[in-house]
């Protein structure tokens, strides 16, 4: 088990170097000069321009820039943003917000998705099943920004149940609305996934055996059906958790959540190489970690899966 | 057994993580009810007066610093720290300042506070974005570190400025961010200072670290402020929004007090949404399309004819009505109606009227010189919401002149500006100007003077340059403006940029505040706002 984890972490090293190099190159190759953009419509002052380029190492060849950056990382220095803030501080300020948001969204996904999916699967073909299918189809086919704007308008502006945007504290109650919006699409998928998985498991021999042994229905559902149906759902959830950590740009923008998506988007627009690469690097590490955790969870859910020593 | 343990561990870890993440989330909101919240954007640079050139940082800096003059809501300069600013020849200026002013750290504001701040801003190796504001002062250099010999401290309350040439609008410039004084703490450690600036203005930072990056900045009233901008509220909370849409949603829910700007999606409805809390007034913003003379068919006499033809081929009012819901004013000159001296009836201004017949005739005349071929394109950055009007303008040109015309999108502002400053752009392109200070010359000299910083079309006219110099040397504002108007008549003939329209400042405010007015520079006059 420990050896397996160690091996996986070793595998993450080339992934780390590969992605940072790739992302750094993409930011480097991005057309347009961020220093020129700093001058706005004002016209460029050549002397100031040269000095700023040197300050951000933009006058160096690509590979030198990259090694300056990587060298800094190993000393705990992720560079500075154009507004003079260390990127490590930007990371520390934004990631907790987004992780909190993603955890809340995943929690809703599990609660609603698995719950509804389980009931629908057990009552295949009944009214609840059919209406949940229709609802999930509706959610899947609605773009997330439409849901976000509608929720914001109805619940925050019309009904006044929540604030339309999230403040700097990004507290639990404030994040409720964006978290629900973020979870909607995945909820729809998880309902369908759980439902079909439950239907399939229900027909298995061991379920009939369990009933045959005289176990109560609730115990069969809990221990035998649900647990065995969860493997595909867990896979989906973990991938979705990764996606939520990196891809909530639209929702974070609409609700003004001071999280990763919004900050990264602005950094890309401004061409802030160190900020963009640092964010993506941390994202890659999170992805690797989440993937590892998922693989370990399989073993928890399915006794047949074992990892070598 | 082993699995049970592992699952327990997993649950424990998950619980610990979620607790630690949500646990720290309960914070306070300040609780002071006399604080006015207003939308802003994350400053793109540290908060240093000579290095702040965009609206996000400008909004903050202008409220925490007091300069020699400030601009009232109509754009007229009012002495703030200045006792007097005098000159007999527009070249040698004597500036006397009021005594007894203090920075919010207790340090006295003296002539040295101004002179040292300006010297810092001008010094080559400090690489300040606003250094060009000092280039008229004697001793300034774009090439190496030099002493600003034009600045001399006479006494703690008096200093003199010697310019390299006569500049009649010099006093008008002094309210701009670049000309603010700085305390000693700034020079000791500019970098740290930029995070926690110390000023002498109507507001000050609420505390060390009041600037929460990408979130907001909290300012409180400066009780020691003695100028004409005394705050009528307890402080400001400037909230950084990623989009205007989010800010607008907050305004509708009374969760934001003052909003400068209205998102495109709400332009049709904001007046009915907000009623008399909607703000809509003229702004010192000028938009144009520049066609560089180096493009084929756009040089010399042929170029003049083609530019005039294109200008007359654009139905400005119709585009404004359709694309902007009437929230712009068709341009009549190269400046803005909010600036003193503006005129809507300059000689030759009829080239800005839509006139399809004349446009075709002018185009045909140009064709007689050299036959047109190819496609006319207008470059723009796609990340700034310009596509709608650019496409409409291109269509207007296409339909009137019967040539192939289209917009040319650049994905980002950076790419767009890089192509323009490198002079590699092979099309016309959108240009815009928001005044730094309320003067006609600020719309003209930086954009069209030979070799000027923002002269994106590399326009050069001896006649124009001479008239600007004449205006700069004039001893009265009337004489100066007369010369600047004459200079504009030259521009109307050459059309180095084709004027499109003037921007409008729109916005709104919540039910919790009153006395909201938007200033000449489209920024709300924040110190006057009263919280109900």
């Amino acid at each position: 088990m420990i050896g397996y984890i160690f091996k996986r972490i070793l595998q993450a090293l080339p992934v780390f170097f590969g992605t940072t190099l790739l992302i750094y190159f993409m930011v480097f190759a991005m057309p347009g000069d961020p220093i020129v953009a700093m001058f706005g419509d004002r016209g460029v002052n050549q002397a100031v321009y040269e000095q700023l380029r040197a300050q951000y190492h933009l006058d160096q060849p690509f590979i030198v820039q990259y090694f300056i950056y990587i060298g800094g990382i190993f000393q705990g220095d992720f560079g500075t943003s154009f507004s003079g803030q260390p990127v490590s501080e930007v990371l520390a300020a934004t990631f907790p917000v987004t992780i909190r948001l993603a955890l809340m969204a995943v929690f809703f996904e599990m609660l609603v998705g698995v719950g509804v999916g389980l009931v629908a699967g057990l009552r295949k073909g009944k009214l609840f099943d059919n209406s949940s299918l229709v609802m999930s189809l509706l959610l899947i086919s609605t773009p997330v920004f439409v849901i976000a704007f509608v929720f914001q308008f109805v619940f925050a502006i019309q009904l006044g149940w929540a604030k339309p945007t999230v403040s700097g504290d990004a507290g639990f109650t404030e994040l409720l609305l964006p978290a629900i919006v973020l979870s909607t699409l995945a909820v729809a998928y998880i309902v369908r996934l759980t439902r079909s998985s439950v239907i399939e498991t229900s027909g298995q021999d061991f379920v009939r055996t369990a009933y045959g042994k005289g176990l109560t229905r609730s115990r069969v559902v809990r221990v035998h059906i649900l647990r065995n149906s969860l493997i595909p759902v867990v896979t989906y959830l973990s991938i979705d958790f990764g996606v939520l950590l990196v891809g909530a740009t639209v929702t974070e923008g609409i609700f003004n959540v001071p999280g990763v998506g919004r900050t990264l988007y602005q950094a890309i627009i401004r061409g802030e190489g160190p900020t963009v690469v640092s964010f993506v690097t941390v994202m890659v590490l999170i992805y690797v970690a989440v993937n590892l955790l998922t693989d370990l969870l399989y073993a928890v859910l399915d006794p047949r899966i074992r990892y070598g020593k | 057994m082993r699995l049970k343990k592992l699952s327990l561990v997993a649950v424990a870890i998950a619980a610990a993580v979620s607790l630690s993440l949500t646990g720290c989330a309960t914070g306070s909101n300040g609780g002071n009810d006399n604080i006015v919240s207003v939308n802003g954007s994350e400053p793109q640079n540290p908060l240093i007066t000579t290095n702040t050139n965009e609206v996000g940082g400008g909004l903050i800096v202008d409220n925490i610093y007091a300069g020699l003059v400030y601009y009232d809501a109509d754009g007229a300069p009012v002495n703030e720290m200045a006792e007097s600013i005098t000159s007999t020849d527009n070249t040698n200026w004597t500036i006397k300042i009021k005594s007894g002013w203090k920075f919010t750290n207790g340090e006295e504001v003296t002539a040295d506070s101004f002179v040292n701040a300006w010297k810092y801003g001008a010094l080559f190796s400090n690489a300040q974005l606003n250094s060009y504001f000092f280039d008229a002062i004697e001793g300034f250099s774009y090439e190496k570190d030099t002493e600003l010999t034009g600045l001399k401290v006479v006494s703690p309350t008096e200093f003199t400025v010697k310019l390299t040439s006569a500049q009649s609008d010099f006093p008008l410039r002094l309210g701009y961010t670049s000309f603010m004084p700085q305390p000693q703490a700034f020079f000791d450690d500019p970098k740290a200072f930029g995070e926690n600036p110390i000023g002498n203005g109507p507001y000050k930072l609420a505390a060390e670290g009041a600037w929460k990056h990408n979130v907001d900045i909290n300012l409180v009233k400066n009780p020691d402020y003695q100028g004409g901008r005394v705050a009528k509220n307890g402080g400001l909370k400037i909230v950084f929004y990623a989009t205007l849409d989010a800010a607008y949603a907050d305004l509708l829910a009374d969760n934001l007090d003052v909003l400068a700007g209205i998102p495109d999606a709400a332009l049709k409805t904001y007046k009915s949404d907000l009623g008399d809390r909607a703000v809509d007034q003229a702004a010192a913003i000028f938009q144009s399309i520049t066609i560089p003379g180096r493009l084929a068919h756009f040089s010399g006499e042929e170029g003049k004819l083609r530019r005039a033809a294109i200008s007359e081929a654009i139905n400005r009012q119709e585009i404004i009505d359709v694309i902007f819901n009437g929230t712009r004013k068709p341009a009549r000159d190269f400046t803005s109606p909010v600036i003193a001296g503006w005129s809507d009836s300059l000689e030759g201004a009829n080239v800005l009227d839509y006139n399809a017949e004349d446009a075709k005739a002018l185009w045909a005349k140009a064709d007689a010189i050299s036959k047109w071929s190819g496609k006319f394109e207008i470059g723009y950055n796609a990340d700034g919401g310009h596509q709608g009007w650019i496409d409409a303008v291109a269509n207007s040109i296409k339909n009137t002149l019967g040539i192939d015309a289209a917009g040319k999108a650049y994905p980002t502002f950076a790419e767009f500006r890089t192509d323009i400053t490198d002079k590699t752009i092979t099309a016309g392109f959108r240009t815009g100007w928001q005044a730094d200070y309320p003067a006609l010359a600020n719309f003209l000299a930086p954009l069209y003077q030979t070799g000027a910083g923002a002269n994106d079309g590399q326009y050069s006219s001896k006649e124009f340059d001479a008239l600007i110099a004449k205006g700069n040397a004039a001893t009265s504002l009337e004489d100066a403006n007369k010369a600047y108007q004459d200079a504009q008549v030259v521009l109307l003939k050459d059309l180095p940029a084709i004027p499109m329209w003037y921007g409008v400042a729109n916005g709104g405010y919540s039910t919790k505040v009153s006395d909201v007015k938007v200033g000449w520079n489209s920024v709300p006059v924040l110190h006057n706002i009263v919280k109900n």
Side-chain angles (χ1 to χ4, degrees), chain A residues 192-223:
Chain A
R192 299 191 148 215
L193 210 56
T194 313
R195 174 185 174 273
S196 56
S197 194
V198 163
I199 290 172
E200 197 195 310
T201 317
S202 303
Q204 300 264 330
D205 289 342
F206 65 82
V207 173
R208 243 176 297 150
T209 311
Y211 278 121
K213 279 200 300 190
L215 294 181
T216 58
R217 183 177 154 86
S218 85
R219 187 162 168 80
V220 174
V221 169
R222 229 167 353 108
V223 179

Side-chain angles (χ1 to χ4, degrees), chain A residues 204 206 228 231 298-299 301-307, chain B residues 3:
Chain A
Q204 300 264 330
F206 65 82
N228 281 293
I231 289 197
Y298 286 157
L301 291 170
D302 189 341
R304 285 168 298 185
I305 299 173
R306 286 244 188 274
Y307 298 111
Chain B
L3 285 173

Side-chain angles (χ1 to χ4, degrees), chain B residues 257-487:
Chain B
D257 290 330
V258 182
L259 174 67
I262 294 291
D264 290 345
L267 275 180
K268 271 202 177 100
T269 55
Y270 84 100
K271 283 191 179 162
S272 56
D273 285 347
L274 299 171
D276 52 8
R277 291 183 289 117
V279 175
D280 172 15
Q281 62 187 65
I285 297 171
F286 170 78
Q287 292 221 297
S288 54
I289 291 173
T290 298
I291 310 171
R294 60 186 161 72
L295 298 189
H297 296 292
F298 281 102
S299 58
E301 188 56 31
E302 185 196 357
K304 271 191 204 181
L305 288 166
R306 292 210 191 276
R307 285 193 188 85
I310 286 171
S311 176
E312 290 183 15
I314 301 167
N315 193 339
R316 293 173 178 75
Q317 190 61 54
E318 189 179 273
I319 294 170
I320 289 170
D321 290 341
V322 174
I323 306 282
F324 298 115
N325 295 295
T327 58
R328 298 282 190 282
K329 296 264 176 309
R332 302 301 305 163
D333 76 338
F334 291 82
T335 64
S336 157
V338 299
I339 306 295
W342 173 79
S343 162
D344 64 350
S345 49
L346 293 172
E347 184 194 330
N350 53 357
V351 74
L352 305 176
D353 295 327
Y354 173 62
N355 187 341
E357 291 314 307
D358 197 43
K360 278 184 202 137
L362 287 166
W363 195 261
K365 252 166 106 181
D367 270 350
I369 298 173
S370 161
K371 185 95 181 101
W372 170 260
S373 65
K375 185 176 182 181
F376 178 69
E377 288 184 309
I378 308 168
Y380 65 98
N381 51 314
D383 59 356
H386 298 291
Q387 192 190 352
W389 71 263
I390 291 279
D391 284 350
V393 167
N395 276 332
S396 199
I397 295 169
K398 193 168 156 184
N399 295 337
T400 313
L401 298 178
I403 59 167
D404 192 7
K408 181 182 184 185
Y410 285 82
T412 62
F413 184 68
E415 271 170 81
F416 178 60
R417 290 302 305 178
T418 305
D419 241 19
I420 292 172
T421 45
D422 289 351
K423 306 187 188 68
T424 50
I425 192 160
T426 55
F429 49 89
R430 70 152 200 99
T431 36
W433 186 258
Q434 177 159 17
D436 301 313
Y437 52 93
L440 287 183
N442 185 238
F443 281 91
L444 303 174
L447 287 99
Y448 312 113
Q449 223 167 17
T450 305
N455 190 342
D456 290 332
Q458 292 84 44
Y459 174 71
S460 176
S461 157
K462 286 202 176 82
E463 200 185 351
F464 174 81
D465 291 352
L467 285 164
I468 290 292
K470 187 181 162 196
N472 289 347
T475 45
S476 76
L477 192 62
E478 287 72 40
D479 289 351
N481 282 347
K482 176 76 184 60
Y484 296 141
Q485 300 298 28
D486 290 345

Side-chain angles (χ1 to χ4, degrees), chain A residues 37-40 42, chain B residues 44-45 48-55 57-58 129-130 132 176 436:
Chain A
M38 280 168 103
F39 288 91
R42 290 290 186 267
Chain B
Q44 291 179 19
N45 301 291
I48 293 172
T49 55
T50 46
N51 206 32
T52 295
N53 70 342
E54 41 83 46
V55 287
L129 290 171
N130 289 340
Y132 66 94
Y176 187 70
D436 301 313

Side-chain angles (χ1 to χ4, degrees), chain B residues 11 76 128 139 156 165 177 184 238 247 257 410 463 519:
Chain B
V11 168
Q128 299 290 291
S165 63
T177 321
Q184 188 53 42
I238 299 173
D257 290 330
Y410 285 82
E463 200 185 351

Side-chain angles (χ1 to χ4, degrees), chain B residues 102-368:
Chain B
K102 283 189 168 64
F103 288 105
T104 51
N105 63 354
E107 187 185 324
E108 194 133 344
V109 188
T110 64
D112 277 312
S113 317
F114 283 95
V115 167
N116 290 338
W118 297 8
K119 282 183 174 167
Y120 180 92
L123 195 70
F124 168 78
S125 59
N126 287 336
Q128 299 290 291
L129 290 171
N130 289 340
S131 65
Y132 66 94
F133 271 91
F134 305 102
D135 65 1
I137 299 174
E138 192 186 79
F140 182 88
S141 166
Y142 279 118
E143 269 104 43
K144 56 182 191 299
D145 280 359
T146 49
E147 170 83 20
L148 270 195
T149 48
L151 294 180
K152 289 227 164 57
V153 176
V154 178
S155 77
T157 55
E158 184 179 339
F159 65 104
T160 59
V161 183
K162 188 173 183 208
L163 306 178
T164 48
S165 63
Q167 309 274 330
S168 59
D169 70 350
F170 183 68
L172 271 178
R173 297 175 203 174
L174 297 174
Y176 187 70
T177 321
S178 310
F179 293 101
M180 300 297 146
Q182 291 282 25
Q184 188 53 42
F186 166 70
F187 305 100
D188 295 342
D189 188 354
K191 220 172 176 181
F193 186 90
E195 276 290 305
N196 292 291
I198 298 159
N200 57 339
Y203 295 95
K204 59 178 179 177
L205 265 64
E208 189 93 341
W211 178 10
K212 280 183 264 156
H213 284 271
N214 292 306
V215 178
D216 57 27
I217 185 165
N218 287 294
L219 307 180
V220 292
K221 182 177 175 168
N222 173 10
D224 300 326
Y225 175 77
Q226 311 171 24
R229 290 190 292 156
V230 174
K232 291 181 182 152
N233 46 58
L236 305 174
K237 182 190 182 76
I238 299 173
V239 186
F240 307 144
Y241 286 95
T243 63
L244 270 179
D245 299 87
Y248 188 69
D250 262 350
L251 178 72
L252 289 182
D254 258 2
N255 199 30
L256 175 76
D257 290 330
V258 182
L259 174 67
I262 294 291
D264 290 345
L267 275 180
K268 271 202 177 100
T269 55
Y270 84 100
K271 283 191 179 162
S272 56
D273 285 347
L274 299 171
D276 52 8
R277 291 183 289 117
V279 175
D280 172 15
Q281 62 187 65
I285 297 171
F286 170 78
Q287 292 221 297
S288 54
I289 291 173
T290 298
I291 310 171
R294 60 186 161 72
L295 298 189
H297 296 292
F298 281 102
S299 58
E301 188 56 31
E302 185 196 357
K304 271 191 204 181
L305 288 166
R306 292 210 191 276
R307 285 193 188 85
I310 286 171
S311 176
E312 290 183 15
I314 301 167
N315 193 339
R316 293 173 178 75
Q317 190 61 54
E318 189 179 273
I319 294 170
I320 289 170
D321 290 341
V322 174
I323 306 282
F324 298 115
N325 295 295
T327 58
R328 298 282 190 282
K329 296 264 176 309
R332 302 301 305 163
D333 76 338
F334 291 82
T335 64
S336 157
V338 299
I339 306 295
W342 173 79
S343 162
D344 64 350
S345 49
L346 293 172
E347 184 194 330
N350 53 357
V351 74
L352 305 176
D353 295 327
Y354 173 62
N355 187 341
E357 291 314 307
D358 197 43
K360 278 184 202 137
L362 287 166
W363 195 261
K365 252 166 106 181
D367 270 350

Side-chain angles (χ1 to χ4, degrees), chain A residues 1 62 74 136 219 243 291:
Chain A
M1 187 77 183
F62 160 68
F74 285 110
S136 61
R219 187 162 168 80
V243 169
N291 263 319

